[in-house]
Amino acid sequence: MGQFVLPEGIHTVSMGAGDLNGILRGKRVPASRWPVVRESGIALSAAIFAIDMTCDVWDTPYCNMETGYHDCHMFPFGKVWRLPWEEGVAFCMGRVEDADHRPVPIDPRGVLLDVLERASAMGFEVKIGSELEFYLLDPETKRPRDRGIQVYNLTRAAELEHVVGPIRRHLNDVGIPVEQSNPEYAAGQVEVNIEYGEALETADRTVAFRGLVKQIAHSQGYLATFMAKPITGESGSGFHLHHSLWQDGKAVFHDEGGALSRTGLSYLAGIQMRMAETALIGSTTPNAYRRRRPESFSPVNNSWGYDNRSTGIRIIGHSPQTLRIEVRDGSADCNPYYLFASQIAAGLDGIEQGLEPTPPHVGNAYVATGYDVLPTTIDVAIVKARDSGFLLDLLGADRLEILVNQAERERDFVADVVTDIETERYLESF
């Protein structure tokens, strides 16, 4: 229990876990109640794993009117961190159990735990680096306060430092090691990279990262959004994962010539084979598919290449410690646990089956042929997910059904709404 001791001067503890969409949900408790929470947890509805991003609820497997939308219990894990931007408040990640102290069977984090147990049984430690883009917007106008594309521009970085600087510093202060930040390819868009580490730890940090970035931005007078495509005509926000495998303390993706090893090629081949059928994991809303356009730096097929940003999978680095596989098709608003688990499981399949990838692509992969085309609409992704034995085995029937249910509901909701652009174009013309 020593790691759960509260820092001096704390009056409130915020504890949360990632929900169906990887959004932090939990409760705040007075410091006086913390000893009870450590022993008995806090109760909340297990429906956090079966509600959409707006908290709409519908009858799903495990959570429905017949089961009474029963409780689960959240317990602290990791470390309690003082929040630098909120005096007297601490934060702790939570893990969730059912009433009998068993895993909640629809908790997305459990999928990643199972996959990493499999990797360990194969003799591998999986390390992941997490790279997310997001927008910083005016809370009233929902638009950027800056103008123009100034990617990597240090003047623009300095102009945003009053909000991005606290994000970097405060995240490091709460145990989320930030490597770097930069302005991205749109006004108001930034990228922050989380240092690579053991996969479960990185996934937990990524869930916390998204929730805490929104809190820090709010404290500085901004709305932070990880929505995949928040502004028409502007860059979408991606979620790239950088994979490496380690065995006996040594990286195994590197061969003597600086290219991918046999193990690395098979791991890559497994991911490549599953990219199209698992598209719903990384792009869960109709909006997310607006990212996937030619020349957009969001991939349209499952090609791969060395240091090629037009491909779906990019190989970066040359030394044993830096060579890694970057998978580029995820949207910034998807569930980190599902994204990590699906890609790692596919890679492990590739190793077990001795798969071989296509030859590395050279040149513009957006005009390339001979690759699996990634879904550009949620309809196609839903069909592929429902037909996927891989996803059924990975998630289990209940988790898969909930994920697909949400996608179908989002598809139907968006399809039924008359948009402003339709009114603008057609109302007075016809």
Side-chain angles (χ1 to χ4, degrees):
M1 290 296 183
Q3 72 268 36
F4 301 138
V5 173
L6 297 186
E8 190 71 27
I10 294 299
H11 57 70
T12 299
V13 182
S14 173
M15 183 168 68
D19 72 355
L20 169 60
N21 294 288
I23 298 169
L24 271 180
R25 299 201 188 274
K27 293 185 178 182
R28 288 190 166 205
V29 298
S32 60
R33 291 287 298 172
W34 187 241
V36 177
V37 170
R38 293 189 313 187
E39 294 291 335
S40 304
I42 55 174
L44 68 170
S45 174
I48 63 169
F49 302 124
I51 56 176
D52 68 21
M53 63 294 298
T54 70
C55 295
D56 275 352
V57 63
W58 68 101
D59 277 4
T60 63
Y62 191 76
C63 287
N64 51 63
M65 288 298 177
E66 289 299 317
T67 63
Y69 287 94
H70 52 287
D71 274 350
C72 60
H73 292 82
M74 186 182 297
F75 295 84
F77 77 88
K79 183 178 177 181
V80 182
W81 300 92
R82 182 190 303 273
L83 295 183
W85 62 92
E86 196 170 0
E87 186 177 355
V89 179
F91 169 75
C92 186
M93 286 291 287
R95 58 175 181 81
V96 181
E97 299 178 353
D98 69 11
D100 297 319
H101 299 289
R102 297 172 304 191
V104 174
I106 57 171
D107 181 355
R109 190 172 186 263
V111 179
L112 181 56
L113 284 168
D114 290 344
V115 170
L116 293 177
E117 284 185 11
R118 176 187 171 196
S120 180
M122 294 171 64
F124 296 120
E125 179 185 13
V126 186
K127 295 189 179 183
I128 301 283
S130 198
E131 176 185 331
L132 292 105
E133 297 161 337
F134 58 94
Y135 275 81
L136 293 167
L137 305 176
D138 184 285
E140 298 298 323
T141 67
K142 308 297 193 292
R143 304 291 296 184
R145 289 174 175 163
D146 52 331
R147 292 189 298 173
I149 298 172
Q150 291 297 333
V151 63
Y152 301 137
N153 187 299
L154 288 179
T155 300
R156 173 60 54 80
E159 292 168 357
L160 293 172
E161 184 66 7
H162 64 286
V163 56
V164 179
I167 287 173
R168 286 196 317 272
R169 294 192 299 275
H170 292 339
L171 289 175
N172 275 298
D173 289 342
V174 297
I176 302 174
V178 171
E179 286 189 328
Q180 57 203 14
S181 66
N182 61 271
E184 256 301 330
Y185 204 71
Q189 190 184 42
V190 297
E191 176 181 294
V192 176
N193 297 344
I194 302 172
E195 182 181 2
Y196 87 100
E198 186 275 326
L200 181 63
E201 182 177 51
T202 303
D204 289 333
R205 286 171 171 172
T206 304
V207 171
F209 171 93
R210 292 198 314 199
L212 297 180
V213 162
K214 293 178 76 70
Q215 294 180 31
I216 300 167
H218 176 76
S219 75
Q220 301 296 318
Y222 282 83
L223 167 67
T225 180
F226 292 86
M227 179 180 176
K229 184 78 168 180
I231 302 175
T232 301
E234 299 293 348
S235 177
S237 291
F239 183 176
H240 302 169
L241 296 188
H242 296 249
H243 294 247
S244 61
L245 284 189
W246 297 67
Q247 198 167 44
D248 300 324
K250 295 181 179 179
V252 300
F253 279 175
H254 182 272
D255 72 9
E256 293 181 358
L260 276 178
S261 65
R262 176 68 263 170
T263 299
L265 287 168
S266 291
Y267 189 88
L268 183 156
I271 295 174
Q272 183 182 41
M273 179 175 67
R274 300 298 184 187
M275 281 186 76
E277 75 180 89
T278 60
L280 192 66
I281 293 288
S283 297
T284 57
T285 69
N287 173 264
Y289 294 85
R290 299 184 187 277
R291 291 180 58 242
R292 196 162 288 150
R293 298 291 185 268
E295 320 296 333
S296 66
F297 296 107
S298 175
V300 298
N301 58 42
N302 70 339
S303 58
W304 73 280
Y306 286 94
D307 200 8
N308 186 341
R309 283 185 169 87
S310 70
T311 58
I313 306 171
R314 175 178 173 233
I315 311 306
I316 318 171
H318 301 284
S319 71
Q321 287 72 32
T322 62
L323 186 70
R324 60 199 185 275
I325 297 172
E326 178 192 23
V327 188
R328 299 174 52 81
D329 63 322
S331 295
D333 51 11
C334 74
N335 188 306
Y337 296 123
Y338 282 162
L339 190 68
F340 279 53
S342 63
Q343 292 181 12
I344 295 167
L348 296 177
D349 282 354
I351 292 173
E352 285 188 336
Q353 298 170 26
L355 299 181
E356 294 188 9
T358 62
H361 187 81
V362 177
N364 183 1
Y366 287 107
V367 298
T369 58
Y371 297 107
D372 291 345
V373 175
L374 303 184
T376 55
T377 68
I378 199 166
D379 283 314
V380 175
I382 288 170
V383 171
K384 287 184 176 295
R386 282 211 176 275
D387 290 343
S388 174
F390 171 79
L391 283 181
L392 181 61
D393 290 343
L394 177 70
L395 304 183
D398 288 354
R399 289 190 187 96
L400 180 59
E401 186 64 24
I402 292 169
L403 188 70
V404 173
N405 281 171
Q406 177 184 252
E408 292 170 334
R409 287 165 56 87
E410 292 303 304
R411 174 200 62 193
D412 295 345
F413 178 81
V414 170
D416 286 345
V417 172
V418 177
T419 64
D420 290 343
I421 191 65
E422 291 172 278
T423 304
E424 180 183 331
R425 288 182 66 84
Y426 306 139
L427 186 68
E428 296 185 20
S429 299
F430 291 110

